[in-house]
């Protein structure tokens, strides 16, 4: 039986990719450059600041394996785990053959095949929010860590109500699909890409402490306003776009919340 994380996810993400493919080609590459500056490079810096060469790290929900490859280049030993690995298997396998230090594992994140206390750290981006019973899932991930191990986790931010409106309109216009959001004590629930929750920074911090993490720091990445997102943002002159699209971090308002915590 498929897990909650798998439920509807593959079909929905395929539809998302097809929807983006039919959009007109932009004049500029503002969004790609912004994503690199406000998200990609900042995540890389977060990983580099917290994970050391020689450490053993598992990427839960590794997808295409991009962060596994980044950490390998820095000398970090990595395992990538994902349930939907049609692309991840190829990418991580090539990395493994090239370096001899990477492994891709097909695994349900709620029932991982790893022994407790095996890893110095785990990372997981955009996965935990897809589990209704996320507390026992996160407790299971925490048991993978050695004493003093680190976790870097990202989830969508419930405080960004502007992005909720954008997502609802995006689904309605491109897919003729009405998306409903349900408020909870944690934030919001939607079914845009399978089951998904958006959490407030306060709940995210509380959850990390509940499962035994200390020194919890919350970072919010990607502050871009939906109004500037593709296709409009790619039609603004780059010099002007850079002035009105902030790339800084914010503990409260980033589209994606990142928790960096120590066990």
């Amino acid at each position: 039986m498929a897990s909650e994380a798998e439920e509807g996810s593959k079909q929905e993400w395929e539809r998302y990719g097809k929807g983006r493919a039919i959009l007109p080609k932009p004049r500029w590459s503002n969004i790609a450059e912004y994503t690199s500056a406000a998200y990609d490079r900042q995540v890389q810096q977060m990983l580099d600041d917290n994970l050391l060469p020689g450490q053993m790290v598992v990427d839960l929900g590794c997808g295409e394996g991009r962060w596994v490859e980044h950490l390998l280049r820095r000398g970090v030993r990595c395992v990538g785990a994902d349930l939907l690995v049609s692309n991840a298997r190829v990418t991580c396998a090539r990395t493994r053959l090239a370096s001899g230090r990477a492994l891709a594992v097909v695994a349900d994140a709620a029932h991982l095949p790893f022994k407790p206390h095996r890893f110095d750290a785990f990372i997981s981006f955009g996965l935990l929010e897809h589990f209704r019973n996320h507390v026992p899932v996160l407790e299971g991930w925490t048991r993978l860590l050695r004493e003093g191990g680190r976790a870097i986790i990202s989830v969508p931010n419930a405080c960004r109500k502007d992005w909720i409106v954008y997502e609802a309109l995006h689904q309605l216009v491109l897919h003729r699909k009405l998306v409903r959001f349900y408020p909870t004590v944690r934030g919001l629930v939607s079914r845009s890409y399978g089951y998904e929750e958006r959490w407030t920074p306060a709940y995210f911090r509380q959850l990390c402490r509940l499962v035994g993490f200390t020194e919890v720091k919350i970072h919010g990445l990607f502050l871009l306003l939906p109004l500037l997102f593709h296709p409009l943002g790619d039609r603004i002159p780059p010099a002007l776009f850079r002035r009105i699209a902030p790339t800084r971090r914010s503990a409260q308002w980033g589209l994606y919340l990142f928790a960096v915590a120590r066990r």
Side-chain angles (χ1 to χ4, degrees):
M1 181 180 295
S3 72
E4 293 178 71
E6 187 182 16
E7 178 187 345
S9 296
K10 186 173 183 179
Q11 294 81 2
E12 293 295 342
W13 281 109
E14 287 176 351
R15 288 171 57 189
Y16 173 77
K18 291 178 182 178
R20 290 189 64 84
I22 66 175
L23 293 172
K25 187 176 181 180
R27 293 175 57 194
W28 321 104
S29 58
N30 290 335
I31 299 302
E33 292 178 3
Y34 178 85
T35 301
S36 178
Y39 185 85
D40 295 348
R41 291 203 292 268
Q42 301 228 28
V43 173
Q44 290 176 5
Q45 189 63 53
M46 206 178 302
L47 296 176
D48 295 348
D49 290 344
N50 291 280
L51 306 177
L52 301 175
Q55 288 185 325
M56 189 66 181
V57 177
V58 58
D59 182 354
L60 302 172
C62 66
E64 296 177 356
R66 59 184 302 201
W67 302 118
V68 171
E69 291 181 325
H70 171 75
L71 291 173
L72 282 171
R73 288 195 295 268
R74 295 194 61 253
V76 179
R77 296 178 294 162
C78 293
V79 174
D82 202 302
L83 194 61
L84 304 173
V85 289
S86 57
N87 292 324
R89 183 178 301 164
V90 174
T91 303
C92 291
R94 288 176 178 171
T95 305
R96 177 184 59 188
L97 292 173
S99 67
R101 292 174 296 168
L103 176 66
V105 177
V106 181
D108 183 343
H111 304 92
L112 291 167
F114 306 120
K115 294 181 179 179
H117 316 303
R118 178 180 176 185
F119 297 97
D120 298 295
F122 73 78
I123 64 175
S124 183
F125 304 152
L127 176 61
L128 186 60
E129 70 272 11
H130 293 285
F131 291 92
R132 292 180 180 87
N133 299 319
H134 53 269
V135 175
V137 172
L138 184 55
E139 288 175 336
W141 296 0
T142 305
R143 285 192 291 271
L144 299 177
L145 297 178
R146 302 183 177 108
E147 191 66 31
R150 289 186 177 273
I152 305 176
I153 314 163
S154 80
V155 299
N157 186 3
C159 293
R160 288 298 300 269
K161 302 297 193 297
D162 54 346
W163 276 95
I164 295 168
V165 174
Y166 171 83
E167 181 177 315
L169 292 174
H170 174 87
Q171 292 289 333
L172 182 62
V173 172
L174 288 185
H175 304 304
R176 305 295 190 269
K177 177 181 177 182
L178 183 62
V179 178
R180 296 179 180 178
F181 297 90
Y182 305 92
T184 72
V185 295
R186 300 179 293 274
L188 289 168
V189 172
S190 74
R191 291 184 175 274
S192 299
Y193 309 109
Y195 179 87
E196 179 181 71
E197 292 192 3
R198 296 166 183 261
W199 297 337
T200 64
Y203 176 74
F204 199 14
R205 183 178 290 104
Q206 175 188 351
L207 173 64
C208 290
R209 290 173 176 167
L210 177 66
V211 301
F213 286 113
T214 60
E215 303 177 22
V216 181
K217 297 181 180 179
I218 303 294
H219 305 279
L221 303 187
F222 211 91
L223 303 183
L224 186 68
L225 294 174
L227 180 64
L228 301 178
F229 204 65
H230 189 86
L232 177 60
D234 279 337
R235 282 157 175 77
I236 298 175
L240 176 59
F241 184 88
R242 285 192 288 269
R243 292 177 62 88
I244 60 179
T247 59
R248 66 183 183 277
R249 297 182 185 183
S250 169
Q252 184 75 16
W253 299 114
L255 177 61
Y256 306 104
L257 297 176
F258 282 76
V260 179
R262 181 189 295 273
R263 183 171 184 268

